[in-house]
Amino acid sequence: MSDEFDHLFPAVRPIAALGAEERVRRIRADRWIDYPLAREALAKLEELIAFPPRARMPNLLIVGASGMGKTMIVEKFARDHPGYYDAANGLKRIPVVVVQMVSGPDEARFYKRLLAAIGAPEPLRPTLGLLESVALRLLGETKPGMLVIDEVHSLQAGTVREQARFLNMLRFLGNELRIPLVCVGTQAARNALRADDQLVRRFEAFALPPWRHDDDFAGLIGSLMRSLPLRRESVFGDLARQRVVEATGGVTALIFAVVTRLAVAAIASGEERIDGAAIEGKRGALALIGEPV
């Protein structure tokens, strides 16, 4: 039966043969959708992780509004570079260490998260000096090729002095480990990094702007349609795409939310396809997003 669903990506066709409940669950789960800007970001990350160690490593800031898919890109990159057991040394290697920034520039809490990210327990008496020493030693053993810090804009929750100390710590980590740092956040992250002249000069910014009603967006919607396990081919024309961009402001997470609700409704109704004509009215896509709190 899965051979019939040639309107879908090959990996999705067997899923289309499953029952409604399982397909709805799959539709609502996170999924990776390839698009040009994401490929460009992944290529930059690949270039960084292959960079030979040196005194001043290049760094990257991935910046964009909330919901633009920044975290999905770094998670995809981390999945592409999974940890592995190094039998020769009896150690687990973690090529990409991903840490979510704490709610403010608190160095001790950050080191604790860093230890958790590499699967290491906290020391019994976790003073800042001991946390730093243990983290550096264990990171030296696991030999990561990159440290990713997500939600870096949370830095601005602290005072100017706290921010300066935290940025100094990041610069210290990059220097000691000789690995690239990748910071991920909103525009506020760029502003926060600018507080440290030495650190910011080592960063290249990579922006993820909101989607526009253009060919790239048409390609994204086309890929989304082919990734949804609906048994009939969906129709999503130019006007429907325009309405989605207008309603969502071009934010990736909201675009996915609109398409997800349309796909779930298509299964529930038995229609088994998305008909974009249903959202071509001025408020069609807006109704699927719902009112903000």
Side-chain angles (χ1 to χ4, degrees):
M1 186 176 182
S2 62
D3 293 339
E4 300 174 12
F5 307 130
D6 57 0
H7 60 285
L8 302 175
F9 288 127
V12 183
R13 293 170 193 170
I15 301 172
L18 301 176
E21 185 176 340
E22 177 61 20
R23 286 187 292 137
V24 167
R25 190 184 71 81
R26 299 286 187 105
I27 287 169
R28 286 174 170 160
D30 284 339
R31 73 179 66 82
W32 172 256
I33 301 296
D34 191 35
Y35 57 93
L37 209 55
R39 285 198 298 273
E40 190 177 340
L42 290 171
K44 285 187 174 294
L45 292 171
E46 289 288 356
E47 182 180 336
L48 278 182
I49 202 169
F51 210 90
R54 69 179 193 186
R56 291 172 61 90
M57 295 295 291
N59 302 316
L60 182 68
L61 170 66
I62 300 178
V63 62
S66 179
M68 283 308 303
K70 306 179 296 295
T71 298
M72 290 190 75
I73 288 172
V74 297
E75 286 178 349
K76 160 71 172 167
F77 186 73
R79 288 196 303 272
D80 290 345
H81 297 269
Y84 61 93
Y85 180 70
D86 185 347
N89 297 293
L91 296 169
K92 183 178 180 181
R93 303 297 190 197
I94 306 176
V96 181
V97 176
V98 182
V99 184
Q100 184 165 320
M101 177 68 187
V102 292
S103 56
D106 185 319
E107 297 138 280
R109 288 174 60 205
F110 181 80
Y111 275 123
K112 289 177 182 179
R113 287 206 174 176
L114 192 50
L115 289 172
I118 61 175
E122 294 178 21
L124 292 176
R125 295 180 180 177
T127 63
L128 178 56
L130 184 57
L131 285 166
E132 178 185 282
S133 175
V134 170
L136 286 173
R137 177 175 59 81
L138 293 178
L139 286 167
E141 292 176 357
T142 55
K143 297 189 182 302
M146 175 182 292
L147 174 60
V148 180
I149 305 113
D150 201 359
E151 305 287 337
V152 171
H153 47 265
S154 297
L155 260 173
Q156 294 207 310
T159 65
V160 172
R161 181 169 181 160
E162 288 170 337
Q163 291 179 47
R165 277 208 325 262
F166 194 91
L167 290 171
N168 187 60
M169 180 203 69
L170 289 185
R171 182 154 43 86
F172 169 73
L173 279 175
N175 289 342
E176 285 292 304
L177 298 172
R178 296 199 172 194
I179 60 173
L181 304 178
V182 176
C183 290
V184 182
T186 64
Q187 179 61 36
R190 179 179 282 181
N191 297 335
L193 288 176
R194 285 173 177 161
D196 188 311
D197 289 340
Q198 294 185 58
L199 184 63
V200 77
R201 282 197 293 267
R202 303 182 193 183
F203 274 87
E204 174 190 355
F206 183 88
L208 291 173
W211 292 93
R212 296 179 297 174
H213 181 220
D214 56 16
D215 290 343
D216 283 344
F217 183 64
L220 175 72
I221 292 295
S223 293
L224 266 173
M225 295 298 109
R226 296 194 69 193
S227 74
L228 299 167
L230 300 176
R231 293 172 179 172
R232 298 175 62 201
E233 186 171 2
S234 297
V235 178
F236 213 93
D238 187 69
L239 183 55
R241 294 195 295 270
Q242 181 180 337
R243 293 291 184 244
V244 169
V245 170
E246 291 170 351
T248 62
V251 174
T252 307
L254 294 179
I255 293 164
F256 278 38
V258 168
V259 174
T260 294
R261 292 187 182 185
L262 288 170
V264 170
I267 291 177
S269 68
E271 182 67 18
E272 289 292 343
R273 70 166 188 160
I274 294 173
D275 184 355
I279 61 167
E280 288 180 359
K282 282 288 185 181
R283 289 197 53 81
L286 274 173
L288 292 171
I289 299 172
E291 293 295 327
V293 175

